[in-house]
Amino acid sequence: MALAARHRPAAGSGDPQVKVLTVNAGSSSLKLRVLDGEHVLAEPDDLDAAVVTAQQVGVAGVGHRVVHGGPTVLGPTLVDGDVLAALRGLTPLVPSHQPAALAGIERVAAALPDVPQVVCPDTAFHVDLPAAASTPALPADWRRRWGLRRYGFHGLSVAHACRRVAGSVPGARRVLVAHLGAGASLTAVLDGRSVDTTMGFTPVDGLVMATRCGAVDPGTLLWLLHQGVGVDELTAALETGSGLTALAGTGDMAEVERRADSHDPEATLALGVHAHRLRALLAQMVAALGGLDVLALTGGVGENSVRVRETAAAGLAHLGVRVDADANRRAVGVSDLLDVTGPGSSAHVLVVRAREDLEIARGVRDVLGPYRR
């Protein structure tokens, strides 16, 4: 199944002053913001309150983050029946996220039937991945029938980080964005284009995460199936019972770090496994870029874990990457962007606050632009 272009509108046509409600529905969280440009007018606690605020301020559109756009929803796209059907069909690939996003779309449509809704897929940033990076070495018939490819995720966060990097380090060509949170991935960005990323056909691949295992030998999973582990049990384990949770009993990185500081053996092992995978995949991304100009760390862990940032830089120390220890210790709860580059570092190291809402709003404005003229 080839990537289709019909749901890939042109970018850059939106009015930056259009008011937008952004809905970012996760597996266990809901982030809501009403924006006027980049100014946050309100952060409602729930969707009902968000709808009331949207009506009061007169939003022109509502933007929804969806994790997986699949082979047809390739960018910010106006919601219609075909789009909803395509997104619903991807639910088995992201069972912990897609249903929440679809439920949000349906609730907003019922409450604000005259306000256009736009979906903004996390996969959009990676649509142009080079074929060598996106194509799995699996039978061609499978690839054609089921659209098997590396889709990549966290694209909204990566796009925002790249915009902030461009403003802070003009001319930087080789940017490695580390989105480190409950879900985590690395993206190699060359001249603004994704050229490699650690998540694949689904968001389970790559780094060790809060509840997901990341990369694992597929032979292990086949063996488990042959041992009688059911598909549903295996799916639940990979999505919600692996990663830090499997190693330390919690997916909360701050808690894991506190326990490791108290010499808890499970937490210490969890940090070691997490660091080992992070360092290996950072090196892979740098190799894809052919060098490194900027390492940008974002997401809840990337923004708040001094230790994980030190680990990331240490993994690239052989390439001359350094962080400033004092600046790194201060970089907790970053409001926008903080430079933690160490003296003599071969690349800039930046901590960037994740603002997926800004990218969602930009997508809404780009889609609505042609309809408003």
Side-chain angles (χ1 to χ4, degrees):
M1 184 165 20
L3 290 172
R6 69 186 183 92
H7 290 317
R8 194 180 184 192
S13 58
D15 179 351
Q17 299 310 311
V18 167
K19 296 182 180 68
V20 175
L21 166 62
T22 65
V23 182
N24 186 342
S27 57
S28 60
S29 65
L30 180 63
K31 301 174 185 176
L32 301 158
R33 281 192 174 139
V34 179
L35 299 174
D36 185 356
E38 294 196 359
H39 177 62
V40 179
L41 296 176
E43 294 187 73
D45 293 329
D46 57 53
L47 205 50
D48 291 337
V51 166
V52 171
T53 303
Q55 291 171 323
Q56 290 173 340
V57 305
V59 298
V62 180
H64 298 262
R65 175 199 175 205
V66 293
V67 171
H68 212 316
T72 57
V73 185
L74 306 184
T77 305
L78 198 66
V79 173
D80 61 20
D82 289 342
V83 169
L84 285 176
L87 296 176
R88 196 169 288 115
L90 297 165
T91 297
L93 304 184
V94 276
S96 59
H97 290 83
Q98 208 84 340
L102 290 166
I105 294 168
E106 290 167 356
R107 286 182 62 189
V108 171
L112 301 172
D114 297 325
V115 178
Q117 297 193 78
V118 174
V119 290
C120 301
D122 259 328
T123 46
F125 190 82
H126 308 286
V127 162
D128 293 322
L129 266 176
S134 65
T135 307
L138 291 170
D141 180 54
W142 294 4
R143 299 198 307 268
R144 284 192 297 269
R145 273 198 289 166
W146 293 307
L148 302 183
R149 57 162 281 153
R150 181 172 296 277
Y151 282 100
F153 299 90
H154 292 132
L156 295 168
S157 178
V158 174
H160 173 73
C162 287
R163 291 184 198 280
R164 289 297 186 251
V165 166
S168 180
V169 189
R173 299 183 58 236
R174 302 168 300 182
V175 179
L176 200 174
V177 179
H179 177 98
L180 306 176
S185 67
L186 308 177
T187 301
V189 183
L190 180 63
D191 294 329
R193 178 189 179 193
S194 176
V195 295
D196 201 3
T197 189
T198 57
M199 283 181 168
F201 185 62
T202 77
V204 176
D205 199 6
L207 295 166
V208 173
M209 298 170 244
T211 66
R212 283 171 267 174
C213 59
V216 65
D217 176 4
T220 301
L221 306 182
L222 290 173
W223 186 85
L224 288 169
L225 290 171
H226 285 300
Q227 299 312 303
V229 175
V231 172
D232 291 343
E233 181 184 358
L234 186 60
T235 299
L238 294 176
E239 287 282 347
T240 63
S242 297
L244 295 176
T245 297
L247 296 168
T250 177
D252 184 340
M253 177 60 79
E255 175 63 21
V256 174
E257 290 181 344
R258 284 193 293 271
R259 285 172 45 195
D261 289 339
S262 299
H263 309 291
D264 179 293
E266 290 184 342
T268 300
L269 175 62
L271 285 183
V273 173
H274 183 274
H276 178 80
R277 183 73 56 78
L278 176 60
R279 290 179 175 183
L281 293 183
L282 283 167
Q284 176 183 317
M285 294 298 108
V286 173
L289 289 169
L292 186 65
D293 298 319
V294 178
L295 171 62
L297 299 121
T298 189
V301 174
E303 294 168 37
N304 294 294
S305 175
V306 172
R307 189 195 308 249
V308 170
R309 291 195 297 265
E310 288 175 345
T311 295
L316 300 174
H318 64 292
L319 299 177
V321 178
R322 306 281 186 274
V323 295
D324 182 281
D326 291 336
N328 190 40
R329 280 193 293 271
R330 293 193 300 270
V332 176
V334 175
S335 61
D336 181 30
L337 178 148
L338 188 64
D339 192 328
V340 298
T341 309
S345 179
S346 61
H348 295 266
V349 183
L350 307 178
V351 182
V352 182
R353 183 186 177 194
R355 289 294 305 274
E356 292 161 318
D357 58 310
L358 294 180
E359 290 301 316
I360 295 169
R362 181 175 283 106
V364 172
R365 294 174 185 126
D366 287 346
V367 169
L368 295 186
Y371 298 96
R372 292 173 58 84
R373 285 201 284 268

